[in-house]
Amino acid sequence: MRDVRLPFEDRHHAGRVLAEKLAHYRGRPNLVVLALPRGGVAVGFEVARALEAPLDIFVVRKLGFPGHEEYAMGAIASGGVRVMSPLPGLDVSPEEVTEVIAREQAELVRREHLYRSQRPALSLAGRTVIVVDDGLATGASMRAAVRGIRQQHPAHLVVAVPVGAEDTCLSLQGEVDELVCAAMPEPFRAVGLWYEKFPQASDDEVRTLLDEARRLHVKSIPTNTVPTQQAHAPRAKSPVLEGLQRHLQPLTGSPRDYDPLMKLIGPARFALLGEASHGTCEFYRERAAITRRLITEKGFTAVAVEADWPDAWRVNRYVRGLPGDADAPAALSGFKRFPSWMWRNTEVRDFVEWLRDYNTGRAPDSQVGFYGIDLYSLFTSIQEVLRYLDRVDPEAAGRARARYACFDHAAEDSQAYGYAASFGLGPSCEDEVIQQLREMTRRAGELPPTPGMERDEAFYAQQNARLVRNAEEYYRTMFHARVSSWNLRDSHMVETLQALDRHLGAGGTPPRMAVWAHNSHLGDAAATEMSERGEWNVGQLIRDRYADDAVLVGFSTHHGWVTAASEWDKQPERKRVRDGLPGSWEEVFHQTGTARFLLPLRDDPALRTLAATQRLQRAIGVIYRPETERQSHYFYTRLAKQFDALIHIDETSALEPLEKGEVWRTGEAPETFPSGI
């Protein structure tokens, strides 16, 4: 690839040269060209035109070192992808990194919205994707793009650039199916040196080229591809839709709605109850209703939720009638960290009050507890360990303080600690937290197995020490490998459930637990595209360990409203949820015409067969970006293997935070704004 004459006249000339190197793709079915805006769009335009392929964009933003923006310390891409690539000799604080990421994320969202003009992104699943840019220097932006595109499961992924640094091109070869660097001059120095004209591309230029590419592609499609009579023929009802309509079980609001689900759960000890978003009222409400029946009819004795251990323990004390908070809102006030509305909302408030009433008058060993299984409370858990030891063993508290002093430089900023430790800018506290956990475990093991307050408090402190150990590793890895940090988090959740299982079952009777978390944690990851990225989750691990003693229940919705933020650490908003994408499970469920229903997948072989097809499924977390719906919120799954049962509520409403704020109250403007019609 050294036969190219340099410099190129401009990006359009470079695109025509690059298209010659890709000529063998011309005419290939399901071909799409993706360009990295802004500079890559002119190149992509020429490649798409020559190959007679559709052109789309994939937005990536370089993270420039503050004061040295020409050097990339990483990149972000659509779909929440982040790639970090620190350079030796250039020091940057965690606060500066956070500021750069926030700024570039805002620009990424702006460009997605501006360039697409409300058009949906092209589907990449099963397609041959050629992603182009005007050149490769460090490769950070392209690596982020490759990771984001891989999440959408293309059949064949090609990276193509007119010019690139040889070491960068070679390093990318192992990450894609084919790499085309038309020219690799040495010394490389910078992309712009290899163009006679290399002006800054504008937003208007990008939009004009995209519009022209769409016009040319439509013109190139033969007009007789689809016969006129077929184009207007009514769509036949699919076998999947017909089958679902026969086998779904409508939910009418009757007290007996969930009888089939109770039967399916049977004697299982773990009922994993998911949610398709962290901000949908109906998911919380129905999950609470199911849990009440599990407690009153099946003797469940624990509710374990995707929340921080110390904050949930405060609620646990309240529902058990222990001294402290006067009411549920006060007990929930410990949930201060973003996203506080996940647990400080009206549905959880009402359930917590119900749980306290249920426990009133019951012996402590027959009461139902409320526990957190997440690991974000690194510094709060440190303080809880020290508070416990100060009371029971001041000498041990001194040893713990000496060990945890390793974190002092981070000023109680978990991400700052993780960034500094992972890049060698600060000490790692791995050895210290392991030593402290060992000491707390030894101390807990010396207590008699008799249930009681002393043993509960020791367990609480021990679990805080375990959380500190796991959170330290989590924050240390999150800047390098998204998959490993996800796996560490879900492994911690399972460790916590197992620790609860041992603690609550010490009297001889195995406990039964309702687990509340997002579908992405509780549905079996082995049935989704998560597994192809090397990710596992709580649902998969619990299934592996407990088999039929675990039942996995998911939720879904087609449209409505959700409480979510637009960016991390921002105020919650009341956002409109777009209709489910064509071909998604959400759209199929909507087409059944039944507003609310249960699919008992495990016990219905015919239903399992219908739900074995791989389809898109939506997942909204605490952030919802409808402008990048496909990239940000959908993944592929085989429903029959992901869940034992699924509850679909076609139209849903936003979860109501206890502290709404003006942004939530105002919500989105109606679709008819400003006319009101």
Side-chain angles (χ1 to χ4, degrees), residues 512-551:
R512 306 184 75 183
M513 303 185 208
V515 183
W516 294 6
H518 197 278
N519 283 351
S520 57
H521 292 295
L522 300 190
D524 191 334
T528 76
E529 68 179 61
M530 294 169 64
S531 64
E532 299 173 24
R533 301 195 295 265
E535 293 177 347
W536 58 70
N537 68 357
V538 174
Q540 180 180 355
L541 297 177
I542 290 291
R543 241 187 199 170
D544 288 346
R545 286 163 172 76
Y546 297 98
D548 291 343
D549 246 349
V551 174

Side-chain angles (χ1 to χ4, degrees), residues 456-472:
D456 284 351
E457 290 181 349
F459 172 68
Y460 170 64
Q462 178 194 12
Q463 183 59 26
N464 274 307
R466 179 180 287 111
L467 190 153
V468 173
R469 183 258 182 273
N470 290 341
E472 184 277 331

Side-chain angles (χ1 to χ4, degrees), residues 2-23:
R2 300 177 185 275
D3 58 340
V4 174
R5 295 184 62 180
L6 297 173
F8 299 112
E9 295 174 14
D10 56 17
R11 291 185 178 95
H12 286 276
H13 174 222
R16 292 191 292 272
V17 172
L18 184 59
E20 294 175 4
K21 304 292 183 182
L22 297 164

Side-chain angles (χ1 to χ4, degrees), residues 284 332 342-343 345-352 370 516:
Y284 281 73
L332 291 165
M342 253 183 80
W343 302 111
N345 60 68
T346 57
E347 300 301 327
V348 174
R349 176 201 64 195
D350 294 347
F351 177 76
V352 166
F370 188 93
W516 294 6

Side-chain angles (χ1 to χ4, degrees), residues 360-380:
T360 300
R362 295 179 179 272
D365 59 351
S366 66
Q367 291 181 335
V368 179
F370 188 93
Y371 307 96
I373 60 174
D374 221 331
L375 54 45
Y376 289 122
S377 59
L378 172 60
F379 289 100
T380 303

Side-chain angles (χ1 to χ4, degrees), residues 35-46 55 57 133 205-206 209-210:
L36 305 191
R38 297 182 181 113
V41 176
V43 179
F45 174 83
E46 298 296 342
L55 175 67
I57 54 166
D133 201 359
E205 179 185 352
V206 170
L209 287 172
L210 289 173

